[in-house]
Amino acid sequence: QLRLVESGGGLVQAGGSLKLSCTASGRPASMAWFRQAPGKERELVAAIRWEDGNTFYAASVEGRFTISNERAKNTAYLGLNSLKPEDTAVYLCAASRYWRPILTAMPTRHNYGDWGQGTQVTVSS
């Protein structure tokens, strides 16, 4: 099991930017960011395969958000740009020590067993 520690998040105006980070206690096979707004389902934002760096994005954030990793630090980052009020949610980091997504299928929450505590992102209009 991996322990995940998140940082970043906060309050920003629409059009602004933020950067989230998530550090794992060991090397993962893949990591992802999900988000959950009040009354809504948890949804995938972005994911990354650890070794080859292949990335996956939800259609709603593609072109605005960027997931990256720093393997030596077991850390994944999520850059959030051109933020919109509808991006407001708790953002959760997830990881799997052994599972990595295949290139033709989007990961889901059920693929990840290790989760961070979540960090709030609030975008004001």
Side-chain angles (χ1 to χ4, degrees):
Q1 188 173 9
L2 296 172
R3 184 168 58 88
L4 305 176
V5 179
E6 301 160 346
S7 63
L11 173 64
V12 65
Q13 288 188 330
S17 298
L18 285 172
K19 187 172 185 178
L20 310 181
S21 64
C22 177
T23 299
S25 57
R27 178 178 290 273
S30 64
M31 290 183 75
W33 288 94
F34 289 76
R35 67 185 180 186
Q36 189 163 18
K40 294 190 176 181
E41 294 286 322
R42 187 171 299 186
E43 62 175 357
L44 175 75
V45 176
I48 187 166
R49 287 169 32 136
W50 205 249
E51 293 302 324
D52 61 21
N54 277 285
T55 56
F56 305 77
Y57 293 97
S60 58
V61 306
E62 191 151 20
R64 299 189 298 123
F65 291 8
T66 303
I67 189 170
S68 60
N69 65 348
E70 191 169 355
R71 287 191 288 273
K73 295 185 177 181
N74 291 331
T75 298
Y77 303 97
L78 185 68
L80 300 79
N81 297 307
S82 302
L83 282 161
K84 305 175 182 180
E86 51 264 43
D87 294 317
T88 295
V90 174
Y91 283 69
L92 301 108
C93 175
S96 175
R97 187 182 283 276
Y98 302 111
W99 179 84
R100 62 179 64 85
I102 61 173
L103 297 182
T104 55
M106 290 291 286
T108 73
R109 60 180 297 184
H110 303 292
N111 297 130
Y112 295 96
D114 301 316
W115 293 84
Q117 77 281 5
T119 185
Q120 177 70 43
V121 171
T122 303
V123 185
S124 63
S125 58

